[in-house]
Structures are given as C-alpha cells and as structure tokens.
Amino acid sequence: MTRVEVARVTKVPAAEAPPASGECPPSGLRLTADDGDAAMGLRVVGLHLENCGTRAHRLDGYPLLELLGEDLAPVEGVRIVHGSGGISTGTGFDEPARPLVLEPGESALSGLMWRNTTGSGTAVDVPHVRVRAERGADPVTVTPHLDLGTTGRLAVRAWTRAPK
C-alpha cells in the first residue's frame, strides 16, 4: 500500500488559476510557472507562456507582476526590478527586452529571481504572484512561494522566445 501525504495546499481564485494541462483559456495564452530551482540562496522560477490559441500575440517587455500574501492582499515593501537588479550575473536576466510575436503554437519564457538572504528586518514570504503576460491580459495567479528573506527585491526577466 502506498501512502501519499499532502504537504501544502495553496488556493487561488478560480478565474485566475493556471489552466489544466492541455486546456487553452479563452485568451489563447496559457501561462504557467515551473517548480523553480534553488542553490546557495539563489532562487529562480520560470514563467512559461504558450500561444495555444488561433491568432498571433504581440509581446513587448516584461510580464506584469503583483505580489500577494496568503490572504491574496498585496504585499508591500518589495521592489520588482527589470533584469537581474544586481542579484546575480550570468543568468540571462539582463538580456534587453525585445518585441516578439507569438504565432499559434509558439512559446515564450520569462522568470523570477531572488536571493533568500536575511539581515536586519523582517523576512518576507510571498506565496502568490498574479501575472499578466502583457498590459490588459487576463491575470493568472501562480504559487511559487517566494521566500525573499530581507532583500526587498525580486528580479523579472523580459519575455524571450522559447527554443523549439
């Protein structure tokens, strides 16, 4: 007999939940976050955007982010920086934003990067991130559980075309 234990359940508003695998939302854009990678205090979570619709989508810049607490209220005191913001080098986060068009079936990547370091002050944990692929896009709330420590910074990478 195999036993499974659920360690954590995080709820998001149904209208903002990432779509089920294989399901394409009415917008034609499927946005998801991966499980992330952590090493020596450096954390990175990938954002994946797939054009699963029937028309092209134009992207120019960075995903729009809203950091939310456990109660889905905005988290204050964290600066979102475009590029690496000095958090780490050699990560690809400092590639400049370039306009791109996602044709049906194409994908784009972005990412979130931070350090879980603590100094003076209170550590900040952000369980939810509301993401919009572009201004005016429907939001998707992902649950990467950002353990930002006391750094007060979160880096976001510009959208780039995903390799085929």
Side-chain angles (χ1 to χ4, degrees), residues 37 39-44 81-95 112-117 151 153-157:
D37 187 17
M40 297 176 57
L42 180 65
R43 311 281 204 256
V44 179
V81 295
H82 289 176
S84 71
I87 294 171
S88 186
T89 59
T91 58
F93 271 66
D94 289 320
E95 297 279 327
L112 309 177
M113 179 173 60
W114 70 99
R115 285 213 180 264
N116 176 17
T117 54
T151 63
R153 284 184 302 163
L154 176 66
V156 60
R157 182 179 184 174

Short mmCIF file of all heavy atoms in Angstrom, two decimals, residues 37 39-44 81-95 112-117 151 153-157:
data_model
loop_
_atom_site.label_atom_id
_atom_site.label_comp_id
_atom_site.label_asym_id
_atom_site.label_seq_id
_atom_site.Cartn_x
_atom_site.Cartn_y
_atom_site.Cartn_z
N ASP A 37 14.17 26.54 -9.12
CA ASP A 37 15.47 25.97 -8.82
C ASP A 37 16.10 26.83 -7.73
O ASP A 37 15.99 28.05 -7.76
CB ASP A 37 16.35 25.98 -10.07
CG ASP A 37 17.67 25.26 -9.90
OD1 ASP A 37 17.80 24.48 -8.94
OD2 ASP A 37 18.57 25.48 -10.72
N ALA A 39 19.69 27.24 -5.28
CA ALA A 39 21.04 26.79 -4.94
C ALA A 39 21.75 27.92 -4.21
O ALA A 39 21.75 29.06 -4.67
CB ALA A 39 21.80 26.41 -6.20
N MET A 40 22.32 27.63 -3.08
CA MET A 40 23.11 28.58 -2.31
C MET A 40 22.40 29.92 -2.10
O MET A 40 23.00 30.98 -2.22
CB MET A 40 24.47 28.79 -2.98
CG MET A 40 25.29 27.51 -3.02
SD MET A 40 26.84 27.64 -3.88
CE MET A 40 27.64 28.93 -2.99
N GLY A 41 21.10 29.88 -1.86
CA GLY A 41 20.35 31.10 -1.58
C GLY A 41 19.83 31.80 -2.81
O GLY A 41 19.04 32.73 -2.69
N LEU A 42 20.26 31.39 -4.02
CA LEU A 42 19.74 31.99 -5.25
C LEU A 42 18.55 31.17 -5.72
O LEU A 42 18.63 29.95 -5.84
CB LEU A 42 20.81 32.02 -6.36
CG LEU A 42 20.35 32.63 -7.68
CD1 LEU A 42 20.03 34.11 -7.51
CD2 LEU A 42 21.41 32.43 -8.75
N ARG A 43 17.42 31.83 -5.93
CA ARG A 43 16.20 31.15 -6.34
C ARG A 43 15.77 31.67 -7.72
O ARG A 43 15.85 32.87 -7.98
CB ARG A 43 15.06 31.44 -5.36
CG ARG A 43 15.41 31.25 -3.90
CD ARG A 43 15.39 29.78 -3.53
NE ARG A 43 15.17 29.59 -2.11
CZ ARG A 43 16.13 29.26 -1.25
NH1 ARG A 43 17.36 29.11 -1.65
NH2 ARG A 43 15.84 29.06 0.01
N VAL A 44 15.29 30.76 -8.56
CA VAL A 44 14.79 31.12 -9.89
C VAL A 44 13.55 30.28 -10.16
O VAL A 44 13.56 29.07 -9.98
CB VAL A 44 15.84 30.87 -10.99
CG1 VAL A 44 15.28 31.22 -12.36
CG2 VAL A 44 17.12 31.66 -10.73
N VAL A 81 12.34 44.50 -9.98
CA VAL A 81 13.31 45.12 -10.88
C VAL A 81 13.34 44.37 -12.20
O VAL A 81 13.26 43.14 -12.23
CB VAL A 81 14.71 45.18 -10.24
CG1 VAL A 81 14.71 46.08 -9.02
CG2 VAL A 81 15.23 43.81 -9.86
N HIS A 82 13.45 45.12 -13.30
CA HIS A 82 13.60 44.51 -14.62
C HIS A 82 15.06 44.13 -14.80
O HIS A 82 15.95 44.93 -14.52
CB HIS A 82 13.17 45.48 -15.71
CG HIS A 82 11.69 45.70 -15.73
ND1 HIS A 82 11.08 46.59 -16.56
CD2 HIS A 82 10.68 45.12 -15.03
CE1 HIS A 82 9.77 46.56 -16.38
NE2 HIS A 82 9.52 45.67 -15.44
N GLY A 83 15.31 42.92 -15.25
CA GLY A 83 16.67 42.42 -15.35
C GLY A 83 17.08 41.84 -14.02
O GLY A 83 16.26 41.61 -13.13
N SER A 84 18.38 41.61 -13.85
CA SER A 84 18.86 40.94 -12.64
C SER A 84 18.87 41.84 -11.42
O SER A 84 18.88 41.35 -10.29
CB SER A 84 20.28 40.40 -12.87
OG SER A 84 21.20 41.48 -12.95
N GLY A 85 18.90 43.15 -11.61
CA GLY A 85 18.91 44.07 -10.47
C GLY A 85 20.09 43.85 -9.55
O GLY A 85 20.03 44.17 -8.38
N GLY A 86 21.19 43.29 -10.10
CA GLY A 86 22.37 43.04 -9.28
C GLY A 86 22.26 41.81 -8.38
O GLY A 86 23.14 41.55 -7.59
N ILE A 87 21.18 41.05 -8.51
CA ILE A 87 21.00 39.87 -7.66
C ILE A 87 22.00 38.78 -8.03
O ILE A 87 22.57 38.14 -7.17
CB ILE A 87 19.54 39.36 -7.74
CG1 ILE A 87 18.61 40.42 -7.13
CG2 ILE A 87 19.39 38.02 -7.06
CD1 ILE A 87 17.14 40.15 -7.33
N SER A 88 22.23 38.58 -9.33
CA SER A 88 23.19 37.60 -9.79
C SER A 88 23.51 37.90 -11.25
O SER A 88 22.69 38.47 -11.96
CB SER A 88 22.62 36.18 -9.66
OG SER A 88 23.62 35.22 -9.99
N THR A 89 24.70 37.50 -11.69
CA THR A 89 25.09 37.73 -13.08
C THR A 89 25.14 36.39 -13.82
O THR A 89 25.14 35.33 -13.21
CB THR A 89 26.47 38.40 -13.15
OG1 THR A 89 27.42 37.55 -12.49
CG2 THR A 89 26.46 39.76 -12.50
N GLY A 90 25.19 36.48 -15.15
CA GLY A 90 25.31 35.29 -15.96
C GLY A 90 24.06 34.43 -16.01
O GLY A 90 24.11 33.25 -16.31
N THR A 91 22.91 35.02 -15.70
CA THR A 91 21.66 34.26 -15.65
C THR A 91 20.77 34.48 -16.87
O THR A 91 19.76 33.82 -17.01
CB THR A 91 20.85 34.67 -14.41
OG1 THR A 91 20.61 36.08 -14.48
CG2 THR A 91 21.59 34.34 -13.13
N GLY A 92 21.14 35.44 -17.74
CA GLY A 92 20.30 35.78 -18.88
C GLY A 92 19.24 36.81 -18.55
O GLY A 92 18.53 37.29 -19.44
N PHE A 93 19.12 37.19 -17.29
CA PHE A 93 18.10 38.15 -16.88
C PHE A 93 18.37 39.55 -17.40
O PHE A 93 17.47 40.38 -17.44
CB PHE A 93 17.97 38.17 -15.35
CG PHE A 93 16.99 37.18 -14.81
CD1 PHE A 93 17.23 35.82 -14.91
CD2 PHE A 93 15.82 37.58 -14.20
CE1 PHE A 93 16.34 34.89 -14.42
CE2 PHE A 93 14.91 36.66 -13.71
CZ PHE A 93 15.17 35.31 -13.82
N ASP A 94 19.62 39.86 -17.77
CA ASP A 94 19.94 41.20 -18.24
C ASP A 94 19.85 41.36 -19.75
O ASP A 94 20.19 42.40 -20.30
CB ASP A 94 21.33 41.62 -17.73
CG ASP A 94 21.30 41.89 -16.24
OD1 ASP A 94 20.31 42.47 -15.76
OD2 ASP A 94 22.26 41.50 -15.55
N GLU A 95 19.37 40.32 -20.45
CA GLU A 95 19.10 40.45 -21.88
C GLU A 95 18.04 41.54 -22.06
O GLU A 95 17.04 41.54 -21.34
CB GLU A 95 18.58 39.14 -22.46
CG GLU A 95 19.54 37.99 -22.37
CD GLU A 95 20.58 38.02 -23.47
OE1 GLU A 95 20.25 38.46 -24.58
OE2 GLU A 95 21.72 37.61 -23.19
N LEU A 112 11.49 34.66 -12.62
CA LEU A 112 11.63 35.45 -11.39
C LEU A 112 12.90 34.98 -10.70
O LEU A 112 13.19 33.78 -10.67
CB LEU A 112 10.43 35.21 -10.47
CG LEU A 112 9.05 35.37 -11.09
CD1 LEU A 112 7.97 35.03 -10.06
CD2 LEU A 112 8.86 36.78 -11.61
N MET A 113 13.66 35.92 -10.14
CA MET A 113 14.90 35.56 -9.46
C MET A 113 15.03 36.39 -8.19
O MET A 113 14.71 37.58 -8.17
CB MET A 113 16.10 35.84 -10.37
CG MET A 113 17.44 35.50 -9.73
SD MET A 113 18.85 35.64 -10.87
CE MET A 113 18.79 37.35 -11.37
N TRP A 114 15.50 35.74 -7.12
CA TRP A 114 15.70 36.42 -5.85
C TRP A 114 16.72 35.66 -5.02
O TRP A 114 17.08 34.53 -5.34
CB TRP A 114 14.39 36.58 -5.10
CG TRP A 114 13.81 35.30 -4.57
CD1 TRP A 114 13.90 34.82 -3.30
CD2 TRP A 114 13.05 34.32 -5.29
NE1 TRP A 114 13.24 33.61 -3.19
CE2 TRP A 114 12.72 33.28 -4.40
CE3 TRP A 114 12.63 34.20 -6.62
CZ2 TRP A 114 11.99 32.16 -4.78
CZ3 TRP A 114 11.90 33.09 -7.00
CH2 TRP A 114 11.59 32.09 -6.08
N ARG A 115 17.16 36.28 -3.98
CA ARG A 115 18.04 35.62 -3.01
C ARG A 115 17.30 35.51 -1.68
O ARG A 115 16.68 36.45 -1.23
CB ARG A 115 19.33 36.41 -2.79
CG ARG A 115 20.27 36.27 -3.94
CD ARG A 115 21.70 36.31 -3.47
NE ARG A 115 22.60 36.18 -4.59
CZ ARG A 115 23.15 35.03 -4.98
NH1 ARG A 115 22.89 33.93 -4.33
NH2 ARG A 115 23.95 35.00 -6.00
N ASN A 116 17.39 34.34 -1.09
CA ASN A 116 16.80 34.13 0.23
C ASN A 116 17.89 34.41 1.26
O ASN A 116 18.47 33.50 1.83
CB ASN A 116 16.27 32.70 0.36
CG ASN A 116 15.75 32.43 1.75
OD1 ASN A 116 15.49 33.34 2.52
ND2 ASN A 116 15.61 31.18 2.10
N THR A 117 18.17 35.68 1.44
CA THR A 117 19.16 36.06 2.45
C THR A 117 18.47 36.95 3.47
O THR A 117 17.51 37.65 3.16
CB THR A 117 20.35 36.80 1.82
OG1 THR A 117 19.86 37.91 1.05
CG2 THR A 117 21.16 35.90 0.92
N THR A 151 15.77 40.90 1.60
CA THR A 151 16.40 41.62 0.49
C THR A 151 15.53 42.74 -0.07
O THR A 151 16.04 43.73 -0.56
CB THR A 151 16.74 40.66 -0.67
OG1 THR A 151 15.52 40.12 -1.19
CG2 THR A 151 17.66 39.54 -0.22
N ARG A 153 13.88 42.70 -2.80
CA ARG A 153 13.96 42.78 -4.27
C ARG A 153 13.56 41.46 -4.92
O ARG A 153 13.89 40.39 -4.43
CB ARG A 153 15.38 43.10 -4.73
CG ARG A 153 15.77 44.53 -4.54
CD ARG A 153 17.14 44.79 -5.11
NE ARG A 153 18.10 43.89 -4.46
CZ ARG A 153 19.30 43.62 -4.93
NH1 ARG A 153 19.70 44.14 -6.05
NH2 ARG A 153 20.11 42.83 -4.28
N LEU A 154 12.89 41.60 -6.06
CA LEU A 154 12.55 40.47 -6.91
C LEU A 154 12.86 40.87 -8.33
O LEU A 154 12.38 41.91 -8.80
CB LEU A 154 11.06 40.11 -6.77
CG LEU A 154 10.55 39.01 -7.69
CD1 LEU A 154 11.19 37.66 -7.35
CD2 LEU A 154 9.03 38.91 -7.61
N ALA A 155 13.68 40.09 -9.03
CA ALA A 155 14.04 40.38 -10.41
C ALA A 155 13.09 39.65 -11.35
O ALA A 155 12.66 38.52 -11.07
CB ALA A 155 15.48 39.95 -10.68
N VAL A 156 12.78 40.29 -12.49
CA VAL A 156 11.96 39.66 -13.51
C VAL A 156 12.68 39.77 -14.84
O VAL A 156 13.28 40.81 -15.17
CB VAL A 156 10.53 40.26 -13.58
CG1 VAL A 156 10.55 41.74 -13.91
CG2 VAL A 156 9.66 39.50 -14.56
N ARG A 157 12.68 38.70 -15.59
CA ARG A 157 13.34 38.63 -16.89
C ARG A 157 12.35 39.00 -17.98
O ARG A 157 11.15 38.66 -17.90
CB ARG A 157 13.86 37.20 -17.11
CG ARG A 157 14.60 37.01 -18.39
CD ARG A 157 15.08 35.58 -18.50
NE ARG A 157 15.89 35.46 -19.72
CZ ARG A 157 16.54 34.38 -20.05
NH1 ARG A 157 16.48 33.30 -19.27
NH2 ARG A 157 17.24 34.34 -21.15
#
